[in-house]
Amino acid sequence: MNKYDVKISNRLKRTEGQLKGILKMIADEKECKDVVTQLSAVRSSIDRVMGLIVAENLVDCVKTDMSTGISSEESIQQAIDLLVKSR
Amino acid sequence: MNKYDVKISNRLKRTEGQLKGILKMIADEKECKDVVTQLSAVRSSIDRVMGLIVAENLVDCVKTDMSTGISSEESIQQAIDLLVKSR
Amino acid sequence: MNKYDVKISNRLKRTEGQLKGILKMIADEKECKDVVTQLSAVRSSIDRVMGLIVAENLVDCVKTDMSTGISSEESIQQAIDLLVKSR
Amino acid sequence: MNKYDVKISNRLKRTEGQLKGILKMIADEKECKDVVTQLSAVRSSIDRVMGLIVAENLVDCVKTDMSTGISSEESIQQAIDLLVKSR
């Protein structure tokens, strides 16, 4: 189980709202460059959330590893792999 | 005004559904790697929609330019710039 | 065979130079945020070159298709697919 | 000063070689889809190196923070910001 910071879900709820707005722009046949600008903003927001999740996950792994004394380079390596793969 | 293929809005509606699913996974404190996998799928979907929009826009510019005979390298260049910037 | 604008190879030669610079920074154990900033610039440059190539390719396909009168939606669709996949 | 794993410079040297190969493909006017495929590989390699650097940097910050006892949430936050921004 993973605990997620409330910032993460708040940001995703805003992203959901942005997507609704984009669907309206498309229905209203708005200019393609304006639609693309909004989609870029949504993509960056998703990317940022991904970055925050994988970073917090890596910090947790290292802290757990050091505080419990059970050396688990493996869990740290898995967190690093997830981070790199998610880019 | 730009006309958008119905495929584009259908795909964005599916993406909206995916986002709702991710918010539920976060509320349920699901594994971080599963949440990240879902977010990657959403990002790819957004990226694909952006690619389709800028590509169709470029094709329209070139076709309009050639069929109307009014040489407008400028509109084609703008469409190329939008495409490159949107990456 | 594809003809490439000289801008493309000039830009890639500059990118090669940037990479050499980064390798030197790493050898000199420079600050990680400075190395990451340089790598970001290289990645953007590569992305831009890719965007220019797939855009020019799409324009050529549409122009060839319209000027030769041989309707080949297929070659245009292939160029669009390449563009979307390359993102 | 930052120490970098030798894997990082080895990977960047290979990337440099790939770039040389792409420049040759362009001079030889090779098919655009083949050039784009190679550029995609270079971009992924750069992305991966960036991911490894920011991840190792974050791990070092957390380990230093915990072993020295000097709580420095700030350095960890800076490493997280670098990671998110570099995406």
Side-chain angles (χ1 to χ4, degrees), chain A residues 36, chain B residues 54 57-58 73-87, chain C residues 7 48 51-52 55:
Chain A
V36 168
Chain B
V54 293
N57 179 55
L58 180 53
E73 276 308 314
E74 203 200 319
S75 79
I76 292 174
Q77 193 51 53
Q78 277 173 356
I80 289 176
D81 290 345
L82 178 63
L83 185 154
V84 172
K85 217 185 81 190
S86 77
R87 291 175 67 89
Chain C
K7 278 184 304 186
R48 194 174 166 79
L52 289 171

Side-chain angles (χ1 to χ4, degrees), chain B residues 23-81:
Chain B
L23 278 164
K24 179 125 181 10
M25 287 174 82
I26 285 174
D28 296 347
E29 298 182 356
K30 295 291 187 190
E31 286 290 324
C32 135
K33 68 176 170 37
D34 300 326
V35 171
V36 169
T37 302
Q38 289 300 316
L39 284 167
S40 271
V42 165
R43 185 183 57 186
S44 304
S45 185
I46 301 277
D47 226 4
R48 194 174 166 77
V49 164
M50 288 169 77
L52 289 171
I53 290 178
V54 293
E56 300 287 352
N57 179 55
L58 180 53
V59 170
D60 290 349
C61 278
V62 178
K63 283 187 172 175
T64 314
D65 171 47
M66 290 192 72
S67 52
T68 57
I70 316 149
S71 160
S72 144
E73 276 308 314
E74 203 200 319
S75 79
I76 292 174
Q77 193 51 53
Q78 277 173 356
I80 289 176
D81 290 345

Side-chain angles (χ1 to χ4, degrees), chain A residues 5-69:
Chain A
D5 191 311
V6 70
K7 278 183 304 185
I8 301 267
S9 24
N10 289 347
R11 182 178 271 270
L12 285 180
K13 281 170 193 158
R14 281 200 304 274
T15 307
E16 227 187 327
Q18 286 174 296
L19 261 184
K20 277 198 203 323
I22 293 167
L23 279 164
K24 179 123 183 9
M25 287 174 82
I26 287 176
D28 297 347
E29 297 182 356
K30 295 292 187 192
E31 285 289 325
C32 137
K33 69 176 171 33
D34 299 327
V35 171
V36 168
T37 303
Q38 289 300 316
L39 283 167
S40 268
V42 166
R43 185 182 59 184
S44 305
S45 185
I46 301 276
D47 229 2
R48 196 176 163 77
V49 165
M50 287 170 78
L52 289 171
I53 290 177
V54 294
E56 298 289 352
N57 179 54
L58 179 54
V59 171
D60 289 350
C61 278
V62 178
K63 282 187 173 175
T64 313
D65 171 46
M66 289 192 75
S67 52
T68 58

Side-chain angles (χ1 to χ4, degrees), chain D residues 58-70:
Chain D
L58 180 53
V59 171
D60 288 350
C61 278
V62 178
K63 281 188 175 176
T64 314
D65 171 45
M66 290 192 75
S67 52
T68 57
I70 313 149

